[in-house]
Amino acid sequence: MSLPPLVSPAAALTVDEVRRYSRHLIIPDVGMTGQKRLKNARVLCVGAGGLGSPALLYLAAAGVGTLGVIDFDVVDESNLQRQIIHGQSDVGRSKAQSAADSIREINPYVNVVVHEERLDSDNAMRVFEPYDLIVDGTDNFATRYLVNDACVLLGKPYAWGSIYRFDGQASVFWAEHGPCYRCLYPEPPPPGMVPSCAEGGVLGVLCASIGSIQVNEAIKVITGIGEPLVGRLMIYDALEMSYRTVQMKKDPECPVCGKEPTITELIDYEEFCGTVSEDAQQAAAGSTISARDLKAMQDRGDDIFLVDVREPNEYEIVSIPGATLIPKGEFLSGAALERLPQDKKVVLHCKSGARSAECLAIVKNAGFADAVHVGGGVLAWISQVDPALPTY
Ligand code: ZN
């Protein structure tokens, strides 16, 4: 299935741009008009990580006029095995800023827009709105469903990819012309069932194999050439060295792109993907306070014992004043319980609320009936109480 071009052409290329893009211009299917479409295109890459790195490098080199990067993370040494848009001297820097510098170095004619924030249900529609097309380089199910739903609701196409060890998948989801991610995967896998690349590993070069397919498809959709992967799923096996595509159908019952959609605005994707166990969900029901509630308790001088269940390195990055660090492992082993006072209200928190909910289940089972945890964790504290603190 071929589709009309997504983007109308820019008025003209400069002499410098003609020189730079000459190898595109002499391909009849791309030509001057195709290159002008790329110049006029606004593409957002979600994540400057494994897939985002090669995708952003090639989108920049290809001459996409406006290139957005959204990433809240900082470059870690363990990223450099595959995230080739970053270098040794970028370790510790914002990924979005580091990526923007590399893009400018590759192609100074690209207008780079940096979004140094975590994509969530509150900002996704606003962030996506100005762009023609999204490249999804996320590595977790919650963000994947979020990207999908936001694109469907905004009527935008996106180039999707996913990688694990030696296996990769890619497609173009565009609800107007074909299925969406939910048509393919209506339900997220149960929590803990599918390991992430951080847990299971990924061959570095696999990122380039899949990221380059995403860029290839983005260019085709923007310029209207060839047959984009709309309605087809590309499956790549690096060990067999095989690429195969399977047809995908739109699900008329799809909750977001079907005939009678039930999802008409963005939802809570952490909850949808069940990042916490059932025990934890039960413990947290009715025993979750907001970061603002915690601040009010502190200001009133309530007799509370605030426990940070994250790891020491996270505590070092940012912490809530007055919190005692007792990592989750000590709750699992039982060692934490004897450190909890019997005469104070125990308040647990972690980074985003998942780990503290797990610990809350343990604490409540041990008899601390009035214990609570902070929904959204330290990230909620930063956004609701003290925005001057760093996020990670
Ligand atoms: Zn759908």
Side-chain angles (χ1 to χ4, degrees):
M1 174 174 57
S2 61
L3 291 169
L6 179 69
V7 178
S8 56
L13 298 186
T14 65
V15 173
D16 288 340
E17 286 171 331
V18 170
R19 265 201 305 270
R20 172 176 289 260
Y21 304 125
S22 66
R23 298 300 184 278
H24 273 170
L25 299 177
I26 56 179
I27 306 175
D29 291 332
V30 181
M32 190 57 96
T33 308
Q35 193 64 46
K36 285 179 185 170
R37 292 188 198 280
L38 290 172
K39 180 177 180 176
N40 223 10
R42 291 158 299 176
V43 175
L44 174 72
C45 188
V46 181
L51 293 171
S53 287
L56 285 164
L57 291 173
Y58 273 108
L59 288 165
V64 167
T66 300
L67 205 42
V69 188
I70 179 163
D71 204 308
F72 66 93
D73 208 357
V74 296
V75 180
D76 182 83
E77 209 171 3
S78 69
N79 300 148
L80 301 180
Q81 161 258 19
R82 66 199 175 284
Q83 301 182 15
I84 55 167
I85 203 165
H86 315 296
Q88 183 63 42
S89 60
D90 297 314
V91 170
R93 288 184 71 204
S94 141
K95 281 192 184 180
Q97 294 290 356
S98 160
D101 286 351
S102 299
I103 292 166
R104 291 186 195 107
E105 177 61 20
I106 283 174
N107 189 343
Y109 306 120
V110 174
N111 167 35
V112 192
V113 184
V114 172
H115 305 269
E116 264 179 283
E117 53 190 322
R118 178 190 289 271
L119 188 74
D120 60 29
S121 302
D122 294 330
N123 62 19
M125 300 293 272
R126 171 179 58 79
V127 172
F128 282 15
E129 209 282 321
Y131 294 95
D132 300 305
L133 180 142
I134 314 295
V135 172
D136 179 12
T138 55
D139 59 356
N140 66 84
F141 287 97
T143 316
R144 219 166 262 166
Y145 281 96
L146 166 62
V147 168
N148 180 74
D149 292 0
C151 284
V152 174
L153 294 175
L154 289 164
K156 294 183 192 295
Y158 75 102
W160 168 83
S162 108
I163 46 173
Y164 180 70
R165 293 190 176 165
F166 300 100
D167 298 319
Q169 297 185 352
S171 189
V172 174
F173 293 113
W174 194 353
E176 232 171 274
H177 299 284
C180 79
Y181 180 75
R182 277 184 190 270
C183 296
L184 178 63
Y185 297 114
E187 295 282 337
M193 279 297 286
V194 178
S196 67
C197 290
E199 292 157 352
V202 60
L203 188 71
V205 71
L206 182 69
C207 302
S209 309
I210 299 300
S212 66
I213 293 175
Q214 292 176 275
V215 174
N216 190 70
E217 296 308 298
I219 290 172
K220 282 158 61 185
V221 168
I222 290 165
T223 57
I225 61 175
E227 292 196 21
L229 276 176
V230 175
R232 288 184 297 149
L233 174 67
M234 168 70 82
I235 299 166
Y236 172 63
D237 181 330
L239 289 181
E240 275 183 19
M241 190 41 73
S242 65
Y243 287 93
R244 61 194 178 92
T245 55
V246 295
Q247 300 288 325
M248 297 184 289
K249 282 210 172 64
K250 199 177 179 77
D251 177 6
E253 308 289 315
C254 175
V256 66
C257 83
K259 287 200 185 79
E260 286 170 25
T262 52
I263 296 170
T264 53
E265 57 182 33
L266 299 179
I267 59 171
D268 183 336
Y269 293 88
E270 296 291 337
E271 192 191 326
F272 173 68
C273 292
T275 36
V276 294
S277 72
E278 226 158 89
D279 274 0
Q281 283 179 32
Q282 276 172 11
S287 299
T288 302
I289 61 166
S290 72
R292 280 195 197 92
D293 294 337
L294 171 61
K295 178 77 168 97
M297 289 164 108
Q298 288 182 329
D299 289 348
R300 281 197 306 264
D302 286 6
D303 210 9
I304 63 167
F305 186 69
L306 180 62
V307 183
D308 185 341
V309 306
R310 296 175 302 156
E311 297 305 310
N313 58 330
E314 299 179 86
Y315 186 83
E316 217 169 273
I317 297 168
V318 61
S319 61
I320 298 178
T324 301
L325 178 70
I326 309 179
K328 182 185 161 189
E330 295 191 32
F331 286 88
L332 297 177
S333 73
L337 294 172
E338 59 196 40
R339 296 179 60 186
L340 302 180
Q342 299 286 345
D343 56 345
K344 290 182 178 177
K345 184 182 180 75
V346 173
V347 180
L348 305 172
H349 87 82
C350 62
K351 183 180 182 183
S352 62
R355 280 174 282 175
S356 58
E358 302 284 349
C359 294
L360 183 64
I362 295 167
V363 168
K364 284 190 168 260
N365 276 337
F368 295 86
D370 67 345
V372 295
H373 87 128
V374 181
V378 71
L379 294 177
W381 177 271
I382 295 165
S383 72
Q384 294 171 16
V385 179
D386 191 354
L389 293 174
T391 55
Y392 66 102

